[in-house]
Amino acid sequence: MKSRVIKPDLKQYFDAMPIIGIWLYREYEKAQTFEEIASLFHKWQDEAESTTNPVKKEWLRASSNYIYSFFTGRSYECKKFQSL
């Protein structure tokens, strides 16, 4: 049985975004376990790499990096430097 994780309420964070914030918040709220949140992080990273919309790319990247930082205690940029 996967245990639910305590996640921060990011409604205010997503509300500050354009219309994409509504969609991202709904996906974030559906993720209840650490595995689902990690999967969501990777999904948003993949979408940021594949979209041609520069605004969507930046919001996806910013949101996934924020969630990564919250749950790991490190910035996503640190992960890139560790893999070099």
Side-chain angles (χ1 to χ4, degrees):
M1 179 174 161
K2 296 179 182 176
S3 61
R4 291 175 54 111
V5 66
I6 298 172
K7 16 179 235 191
D9 180 12
L10 299 181
K11 182 158 178 42
Q12 193 171 25
Y13 175 78
F14 290 113
D15 282 348
M17 296 179 184
I19 195 74
I20 192 174
I22 296 167
W23 170 67
L24 293 175
Y25 180 71
R26 286 181 183 159
E27 285 194 328
Y28 174 74
E29 282 299 299
K30 289 179 187 175
Q32 297 299 317
T33 65
F34 182 75
E35 292 81 8
E36 291 171 346
I37 292 170
S39 177
L40 181 62
F41 163 80
H42 290 293
K43 176 185 174 195
W44 287 352
Q45 284 290 324
D46 291 342
E47 286 183 34
E49 293 297 319
S50 64
T51 188
T52 57
N53 181 332
V55 174
K56 183 177 180 180
K57 179 183 292 244
E58 288 306 312
W59 284 115
L60 284 166
R61 215 176 255 152
S63 299
S64 62
N65 290 348
Y66 182 80
I67 291 171
Y68 180 88
S69 296
F70 179 82
F71 285 99
T72 64
R74 300 180 185 175
S75 73
Y76 187 70
E77 295 302 316
C78 288
K79 180 181 180 190
K80 290 179 183 177
F81 293 128
Q82 288 175 347
S83 64
L84 295 178

